[in-house]
Amino acid sequence: MDKSIINSHEITQICLLAGKIILQNGGETYRVEDTMSRIAAAYGIENSHSFVTPTGIIFAIDGSSQMTKLIRISERSTNLLKVSLVNDISRKISTGTLAAGDAHRLLQEIDSNAFVYPVWMKIIAAAIASGCFLIMFQGSWRDFIPVVLISGISFAFSVKLHRIVPIKFFSEFITALLIGTLSVLFVHKGYGFDLDKIIIGSVMPLVPGLHITAAVRDLMAGHLVSGLSKGAEAFLTAFAVGAGIAAVLSFY
């Protein structure tokens, strides 16, 4: 096989792997395209093209060693540490201090390593953050503990439910039902006082803030397909949460 074709194949693999890691872990579409273009250019391929959506990446190289590859993105989450690590590798490649083989190996290590916090730490963080949101929304300190408990219980339930039924919107709807039910029970038993503020503070870990921000950023940059897709995903999440809370309040 021609050496240039082998080299193009390796560079394509590096670009796609870097783009895949960024897209799977919460990176914006423009960041994926920019990173892949910079890596390709740093390795001497100026005529590269990419088309990125939330569910797939197409990367193509023109010239004597034409190549086009597609990868599908089925799982997405938020892990900005992985995005940051890929950005560091991209910068080293751009400055010419990282060979293609080493870059590919480092990207494979990042892709295979979970780099996630323990579940118990996520639950505690979600509970404390919800309590802080309560205060930020001018809630009362006497509702702080109820919000922390409701948010912690519901977040743990959400993690467990998503493992059993890996349908994102279903788990968000059921979790919202639980939040609404616990909030009503706490107020009814006299452990909580302001039902509205308790519900608002408790649902904050479910709010798709990152998706909304990424959707607006993509739309402003002209990435209409990605922006609309992420906006639709954010809308469905907001609808699931709102429908769950509304279902409980309709019986309260």
Side-chain angles (χ1 to χ4, degrees), residues 13-27 32 36 52 57 71-76 86 111-112:
Q13 291 293 102
I14 294 171
C15 292
L16 283 173
L17 184 54
K20 173 192 165 189
I21 295 171
I22 294 175
L23 193 61
Q24 278 185 329
N25 292 282
V32 177
M36 291 194 296
V52 181
I57 300 175
I71 58 171
R72 184 173 179 81
I73 307 297
S74 55
E75 290 287 336
R76 295 185 299 279
V86 174
D111 189 35
S112 60

Side-chain angles (χ1 to χ4, degrees), residues 83-95:
V83 176
S84 176
L85 290 172
V86 174
N87 286 337
D88 288 340
I89 291 176
S90 174
R91 281 191 284 271
K92 290 179 181 176
I93 293 173
S94 297
T95 56

Side-chain angles (χ1 to χ4, degrees), residues 18-178:
K20 173 192 165 189
I21 295 171
I22 294 175
L23 193 61
Q24 278 185 329
N25 292 282
E28 304 93 331
T29 301
Y30 83 93
R31 187 188 299 276
V32 177
E33 294 182 349
D34 181 65
T35 300
M36 291 194 296
S37 298
R38 287 177 183 274
I39 291 175
Y43 286 133
I45 297 178
E46 298 291 344
N47 49 353
S48 64
H49 309 278
S50 58
F51 180 74
V52 181
T53 72
T55 56
I57 300 175
I58 299 174
F59 183 78
I61 295 176
D62 285 341
S64 58
S65 56
Q66 294 184 355
M67 187 172 295
T68 301
K69 285 207 169 187
L70 161 71
I71 58 171
R72 184 173 179 81
I73 307 297
S74 55
E75 290 287 336
R76 295 185 299 279
S77 63
T78 302
N79 190 331
L80 298 184
L81 175 59
K82 284 192 172 186
V83 176
S84 176
L85 290 172
V86 174
N87 286 337
D88 288 340
I89 291 176
S90 174
R91 281 191 284 271
K92 290 179 181 176
I93 293 173
S94 297
T95 56
T97 58
L98 194 61
D102 294 334
H104 197 200
R105 177 179 54 78
L106 290 174
L107 288 171
Q108 286 178 320
E109 289 178 0
I110 294 172
D111 189 35
S112 60
N113 198 323
F115 287 118
V116 294
Y117 293 108
V119 174
W120 62 268
M121 189 178 292
K122 291 181 180 179
I123 294 171
I124 292 175
I128 294 175
S130 294
C132 293
F133 275 116
L134 169 76
I135 302 304
M136 191 180 76
F137 292 138
Q138 300 181 342
S140 172
W141 279 101
R142 58 185 181 176
D143 288 329
F144 184 85
I145 297 300
V147 167
V148 168
L149 292 175
I150 293 170
S151 179
I153 294 170
S154 60
F155 191 86
F157 174 79
S158 175
V159 172
K160 185 70 175 177
L161 180 62
H162 189 68
R163 290 177 180 172
I164 299 172
V165 184
I167 301 174
K168 183 170 177 284
F169 304 114
F170 176 78
S171 65
E172 289 167 344
F173 174 74
I174 300 299
T175 303
L177 278 177
L178 179 63

